[in-house]
Amino acid sequence: MNTFDSQSAHALLLQNVGRFIELDETQQNLYLSLFKEKRIRRKDFLLQPGEITRYEYFVVQGALKVYTLDLHGKPHVSMFAIEDYWTGDMASFLTQQPSSYFIEALEDTEVLMISKENWDRLFQIIPAFEQFYRNLYQRSLVSYIQRTNQGISLSAEERYHIFLKKYPFLINRISQKDLAAYLGVTPEYVSMLRNKLSKK
Amino acid sequence: MNTFDSQSAHALLLQNVGRFIELDETQQNLYLSLFKEKRIRRKDFLLQPGEITRYEYFVVQGALKVYTLDLHGKPHVSMFAIEDYWTGDMASFLTQQPSSYFIEALEDTEVLMISKENWDRLFQIIPAFEQFYRNLYQRSLVSYIQRTNQGISLSAEERYHIFLKKYPFLINRISQKDLAAYLGVTPEYVSMLRNKLSKK
DNA sequence: GGAAAAAAATAAACTAGTTTAAGAAATTAC
DNA sequence: GTAATTTCTTAAACTAGTTTATTTTTTTCC
């Protein structure tokens, strides 16, 4: 695992925010100063059930999976996050109630993390960030709603095809087991689907 | 259908907001002035797919169901709203993109509705409302996430029992068909579940 | 670089929930 | 108040996805 490259991490974060709002150099430096850096190794956790999450995470390098265990102990993956993605447990972050999610590194991973207090500080100094933040939030809410609707209205096979189309860059980085836990089926069934698809 | 009783509608709305923030009389009157009244008859719609929703709705009297049709044309109910409930299509309201939901009255229904512009006006004049609004929002997000997790991890039978326990007051007001569309199963299956339960 | 562990494939028996269809009960509408 | 429509029940055949178990392939780790 390499050392954390602050410079390129910061460049990625600024590029991310730059897609929504324009900042001068002073503002950029303020923004960057509000984040902490963190590195975690493959199979380690950023968050575990029962913990109250204080941060939102921006992935600089690596890959994370966010998942919960159901009553039967089976994992359900709610999202994968790679470079340039924001992640976290919105419900626990917002309500400051214990999380029911694991956030686990699939590879050695580097994140930049920011607390609620630092967001609030930022909003006071640079109000334009409220717009950025609301946008971030709304987009994740909307994609959450869409994913839920897919889970409701599509078969596992249809969801598998949509995943392949929408996230082709993820397939090489996640296991079939984790993909199954994301699609909501057994790994055996994914195996069968993949096999069926390759025969066409 | 009775005439809209503005006075008790307003009383209910003030009682609702009063559970979160304290307002003096001037503030109460400002708040009330930002709502429009609307009555719709059973089987009529507050919103239909393709429309961009401009309002959020507070139910004063009656009952609504919020649902969408899947690719096979089957309805999936995402929520029921009765007196003292807020409802709407958050995704369309936020993004100003066409909705994919129906909001249909199950009974003759009276609502108070407020636009995004009026919320913004309110935030400027009485900042305490930002807190109330964020709270409203966060609560609905959290319950949305919980419901999704239930759909993922519980059997239809378990979801049926949870529904009975959590919303006993709704059972007499909705059809078995709509309950089935909420639980994500066929009406026939709900019929079987009910029968099975009553034999215990 | 090879042993141990984890992941993936295959296949057969199984189950939760669907589909179809037909009759009984309850609501609605004039 | 009764005819028409909708809702609910029951039951049997069916299907998408699960479970279990065994084998093969890939990855991990010292």
Side-chain angles (χ1 to χ4, degrees):
Chain A
M1 187 169 180
N2 301 326
T3 55
F4 197 111
D5 180 349
S6 285
Q7 241 183 316
S8 61
H10 286 173
L12 189 62
L13 186 65
L14 290 177
Q15 188 194 323
N16 173 269
V17 70
R19 285 200 292 276
F20 298 92
I21 50 177
E22 275 189 50
L23 300 173
D24 65 32
E25 214 182 314
T26 317
Q27 292 174 326
Q28 290 186 350
N29 288 331
L30 170 64
Y31 184 48
L32 295 176
S33 75
L34 297 175
F35 286 81
K36 289 207 288 189
E37 297 174 352
K38 184 161 197 164
R39 275 189 294 160
I40 63 167
R41 289 182 176 281
R42 189 172 124 77
K43 296 199 175 173
D44 282 348
F45 298 91
L46 273 183
L47 179 68
Q48 288 188 263
E51 294 174 12
I52 294 175
T53 188
R54 289 190 49 225
Y55 298 98
E56 290 183 324
Y57 303 94
F58 178 77
V59 181
V60 168
Q61 181 61 249
L64 301 169
K65 69 173 168 184
V66 182
Y67 67 102
T68 186
L69 300 181
D70 67 26
L71 291 184
H72 311 289
K74 266 187 257 161
H76 293 259
V77 173
S78 66
M79 76 177 291
F80 298 104
I82 58 171
E83 298 81 20
D84 199 33
Y85 273 62
W86 284 92
T87 194
D89 175 353
M90 290 198 313
S92 171
F93 184 77
L94 287 176
T95 63
Q96 291 296 291
Q97 293 296 304
S99 177
S100 49
Y101 289 94
F102 295 87
I103 303 181
E104 182 184 338
L106 297 175
E107 310 167 359
D108 291 349
T109 296
E110 303 169 5
V111 297
L112 290 170
M113 55 205 266
I114 181 169
S115 67
K116 202 187 264 236
E117 297 75 41
N118 277 353
W119 277 124
D120 287 338
R121 240 164 250 156
L122 195 60
F123 299 156
Q124 284 180 343
I125 305 174
I126 312 173
F129 265 99
E130 291 204 33
Q131 185 200 329
F132 170 71
Y133 189 64
R134 201 184 326 126
N135 202 284
L136 207 66
Y137 213 84
Q138 288 173 1
R139 284 154 50 96
S140 82
L141 175 61
V142 168
S143 77
Y144 191 82
I145 291 175
Q146 284 174 346
R147 175 150 146 73
T148 304
N149 285 344
Q150 277 182 13
I152 280 171
S153 66
L154 304 180
S155 67
E157 183 167 3
E158 288 169 310
R159 278 176 276 144
Y160 175 61
H161 290 308
I162 286 173
F163 183 88
L164 290 184
K165 204 164 180 179
K166 194 166 174 190
Y167 304 109
F169 48 89
L170 273 181
I171 304 172
N172 327 319
R173 295 178 73 174
I174 64 177
S175 66
Q176 209 142 311
K177 203 173 153 191
D178 285 338
L179 174 57
Y182 178 88
L183 294 176
V185 294
T186 56
E188 289 81 357
Y189 195 63
V190 171
S191 181
M192 198 219 73
L193 284 176
R194 172 181 276 187
N195 196 264
K196 182 177 166 188
L197 185 63
S198 72
K199 276 182 185 154
K200 275 188 186 166
Chain B
M1 189 166 179
N2 299 324
T3 55
F4 198 111
D5 179 350
S6 284
Q7 242 184 315
S8 61
H10 286 174
L12 190 62
L13 186 65
L14 290 177
Q15 188 193 322
N16 173 269
V17 71
R19 285 200 291 276
F20 298 92
I21 50 177
E22 275 190 52
L23 300 174
D24 64 33
E25 213 182 314
T26 318
Q27 292 174 325
Q28 290 186 351
N29 287 331
L30 170 64
Y31 184 48
L32 295 177
S33 75
L34 297 174
F35 286 80
K36 289 207 288 187
E37 298 174 353
K38 184 162 198 165
R39 275 189 294 160
I40 63 167
R41 289 182 176 281
R42 190 172 124 77
K43 297 198 175 174
D44 281 348
F45 298 90
L46 274 182
L47 179 68
Q48 288 188 263
E51 294 174 13
I52 294 175
T53 187
R54 288 191 50 226
Y55 298 97
E56 291 182 323
Y57 303 94
F58 178 77
V59 180
V60 168
Q61 181 63 247
L64 301 169
K65 69 172 169 185
V66 182
Y67 67 101
T68 186
L69 300 181
D70 68 25
L71 290 185
H72 312 288
K74 267 187 257 162
H76 294 258
V77 173
S78 66
M79 76 176 292
F80 298 104
I82 59 170
E83 298 80 20
D84 200 33
Y85 273 61
W86 285 91
T87 195
D89 174 353
M90 290 197 313
S92 171
F93 183 77
L94 287 175
T95 63
Q96 291 296 292
Q97 293 297 306
S99 177
S100 49
Y101 289 93
F102 295 87
I103 303 182
E104 181 184 340
L106 298 174
E107 311 167 0
D108 292 349
T109 296
E110 302 170 6
V111 297
L112 291 170
M113 55 204 266
I114 181 169
S115 67
K116 204 187 264 242
E117 297 75 42
N118 277 353
W119 277 123
D120 288 338
R121 240 165 250 157
L122 196 60
F123 299 157
Q124 285 179 343
I125 305 174
I126 312 173
F129 265 100
E130 291 205 32
Q131 185 199 331
F132 170 70
Y133 188 65
R134 202 184 327 128
N135 202 284
L136 207 65
Y137 214 82
Q138 288 173 1
R139 283 153 52 96
S140 83
L141 175 61
V142 168
S143 77
Y144 192 81
I145 290 175
Q146 284 175 347
R147 175 149 146 74
T148 305
N149 284 345
Q150 277 182 14
I152 279 171
S153 66
L154 304 180
S155 67
E157 183 167 3
E158 289 170 308
R159 280 177 275 145
Y160 175 61
H161 290 308
I162 287 173
F163 183 89
L164 290 184
K165 204 164 179 180
K166 195 166 174 189
Y167 304 108
F169 48 89
L170 273 181
I171 305 171
N172 328 317
R173 296 178 71 174
I174 65 176
S175 67
Q176 210 141 310
K177 202 174 152 188
D178 286 338
L179 174 57
Y182 177 88
L183 294 175
V185 294
T186 56
E188 290 81 358
Y189 195 63
V190 171
S191 181
M192 199 219 72
L193 284 176
R194 172 182 276 188
N195 194 262
K196 183 176 166 189
L197 185 64
S198 72
K199 276 181 187 157
K200 276 190 183 164

